[in-house]
Amino acid sequence: MQNDFAESFRYTAGAPGESGGVSGLSVASSDAWTKTDGGYLSSDGSIIKGAVAKGIDVSEHQGEIDWDSVKEAGIDFAILRCSYGWPDDVTSTKQHDKRFAFNASECERVGIPYGIYHYSYAVDASSAAQEARYLLASMGDASPSLPVYYDLEDVTLPYGDATLLGDMATRFCEAVEAAGYTPGVYANLNWWNNYLTDSRFENWSRWVAQYNSSCSYAGSYEYWQCSSTGRVNGISGNVDIDFRIALDSYVSMYRLYNPYSGEHLYTESASERDNLVSLGWNYEGLGWNAPTSGSEVYRLYNPYSSDHHYTMSRDEYNSLVSIGWVGENVCWHSAPKSTGVPIYRQFNPYAWIGTHNYTTSTEERDHLVSLGWVDEGVAWYGV
């Protein structure tokens, strides 16, 4: 495959089309896809169930992107096209996305987590395996923290053979996983319902395209591509809009602030939240969403300073208990690094109480560092 002549529900002769063929595109309001206190708004004004982050997916078709403006516009993640097809020579650059290296480096510079996708023209398992080799060779120095997706949508693919499609995806995804990345598959609703029906597709992250006010796919999925006609500052013209959808197995983590001591406290308990508010604490809203399983995060209480501490280290937990801290056991879990939302930790070297702050916001992190706090990196990951 030498030419990028994609033909699918999104492309005509390699050029992006207008969202036809994905299922009932609703008329979007001016507030569509924006964030409110209640959550993200859909095109019909309803709240998008389970949406925890807003993103975009881009390729060279978007031209040169001003990623600083994209970041300021509230985009939480991006998925970048890296390559397409399967040239025999994996060192060839002919089938690289011309903007990928720039887009990846810019996402890393401004702090936007990103994933990758490879547009497939494969005809069998062998060519799918070669596509995986080509993608991995095309990534260069990129370090995606989100999944690497196999884009199955072109009309040339063998969509009449579910087993063969499963074989192809297996060869691609196993190679991606062996290289240390989280594999996934992208397709539109019609493909997921009618062609990608092999049970092996349950093994990988799903990214579903359905240009509508909601996604009606009945299976589990991690990302929903909801529109091809989005507008985002920093990008000229239309861009695909995506949402990360938290699975049902997560809990909301509440953030509170004690104005008398300066401590922030984090809890999944609504009753603890409400009790602290009744005592004068300030409720600061949702801190992040945490999975209900995964690596354990422990909470401890210092009875001498009335401060709380959080750690993923069982050894640290036991050590603090041995010197008088009160162990409050597992308080939540961390998502995997490969798919999680980073929770940043900062340390205040001047304080005795409220010495640590935890946030998903790079702006809050950077502001505190400018005031003298110490950036201690990522504490754990949310969903």
Side-chain angles (χ1 to χ4, degrees):
M1 176 58 61
Q2 297 297 320
N3 298 309
D4 188 16
F5 289 155
E7 290 284 351
S8 71
F9 73 97
R10 290 193 299 161
Y11 296 101
T12 301
E18 290 296 323
S19 74
V22 183
S23 158
L25 180 65
S26 60
V27 178
S29 72
S30 59
D31 294 328
W33 322 127
T34 59
K35 189 175 185 179
T36 70
D37 290 341
Y40 290 97
L41 289 180
S42 185
S43 56
D44 64 358
S46 63
I47 298 297
I48 303 171
K49 182 180 179 182
V52 295
K54 178 181 177 180
I56 55 175
D57 62 272
V58 300
S59 68
E60 64 188 58
H61 297 296
Q62 275 68 50
E64 183 165 348
I65 296 172
D66 178 352
W67 285 99
D68 288 299
S69 295
V70 169
K71 175 81 170 181
E72 292 172 5
I75 294 302
D76 302 305
F77 67 89
I79 304 178
L80 316 175
R81 188 177 77 154
C82 178
S83 51
Y84 59 90
W86 75 96
D88 293 334
D89 179 8
V90 297
T91 67
S92 169
T93 62
K94 291 182 178 180
Q95 290 168 227
H96 288 186
D97 186 287
K98 296 178 179 63
R99 303 301 304 174
F100 171 72
F102 173 81
N103 288 336
S105 64
E106 284 291 280
C107 282
E108 293 178 10
R109 180 183 66 81
V110 303
I112 295 179
Y114 68 93
I116 286 173
Y117 75 91
H118 174 92
Y119 190 96
S120 176
Y121 291 101
V123 295
D124 53 27
S126 177
S127 53
Q130 179 67 358
E131 287 190 318
R133 287 190 286 271
Y134 184 59
L135 163 73
L136 294 169
S138 303
M139 287 171 54
D141 295 330
S143 300
S145 59
L146 303 184
V148 174
Y149 284 97
Y150 199 27
D151 185 338
L152 299 178
E153 61 179 281
D154 200 79
V155 296
T156 61
L157 297 176
Y159 56 88
D161 190 333
T163 300
L164 178 55
L165 287 169
D167 292 341
M168 291 164 53
T170 296
R171 294 291 293 277
F172 184 92
C173 291
E174 285 183 345
V176 166
E177 189 168 26
Y181 305 105
T182 300
V185 175
Y186 165 93
N188 66 64
L189 180 67
N190 177 50
W191 274 65
W192 281 116
N193 283 339
N194 298 301
Y195 307 133
L196 306 184
T197 55
D198 189 285
S199 62
R200 285 172 289 181
F201 285 98
E202 298 291 337
N203 297 330
W204 311 301
S205 174
R206 277 195 187 91
W207 178 15
V208 180
Q210 184 182 10
Y211 303 156
N212 202 358
S213 59
S214 62
C215 182
S216 62
Y217 183 60
S220 62
Y221 56 97
E222 189 175 4
Y223 292 93
W224 170 38
Q225 186 185 77
C226 61
S227 175
S228 64
T229 57
R231 294 287 180 149
V232 173
N233 290 343
I235 299 177
S236 299
N238 293 337
V239 65
D240 296 341
I241 300 295
D242 303 271
F243 286 96
R244 180 169 183 163
I245 306 298
L247 302 179
D248 291 337
S249 55
Y250 73 91
V251 293
S252 296
M253 301 305 306
Y254 307 114
R255 174 167 141 156
L256 299 107
Y257 175 69
N258 187 333
Y260 310 110
S261 69
E263 178 191 9
H264 278 99
L265 182 135
Y266 310 87
T267 179
E268 68 174 80
S269 169
S271 60
E272 182 177 24
R273 175 199 64 193
D274 295 343
N275 180 58
L276 290 175
V277 169
S278 72
L279 297 175
W281 289 63
N282 297 331
Y283 173 51
E284 295 188 334
L286 176 65
W288 66 90
N289 293 306
T292 56
S293 62
S295 299
E296 297 172 329
V297 180
Y298 304 97
R299 189 171 95 169
L300 301 103
Y301 174 69
N302 187 334
Y304 310 109
S305 65
S306 299
D307 195 19
H308 287 85
H309 182 68
Y310 312 86
T311 179
M312 293 183 65
S313 169
R314 187 68 189 186
D315 289 340
E316 181 181 20
Y317 179 87
N318 291 335
S319 176
L320 291 175
V321 169
S322 71
I323 61 173
W325 289 65
V326 178
E328 297 184 336
N329 298 313
V330 177
C331 50
W332 57 76
H333 296 82
S334 174
K337 176 182 179 180
S338 58
T339 59
V341 176
I343 314 298
Y344 303 105
R345 186 170 90 168
Q346 306 86 49
F347 172 68
N348 186 342
Y350 312 108
W352 173 248
I353 298 175
T355 56
H356 286 94
N357 183 67
Y358 302 86
T359 180
T360 61
S361 169
T362 55
E363 289 80 8
E364 180 179 7
R365 176 200 63 192
D366 295 344
H367 175 67
L368 291 176
V369 169
S370 73
L371 298 176
W373 291 61
V374 178
D375 178 16
E376 296 189 330
V378 176
W380 53 78
Y381 294 86
V383 298

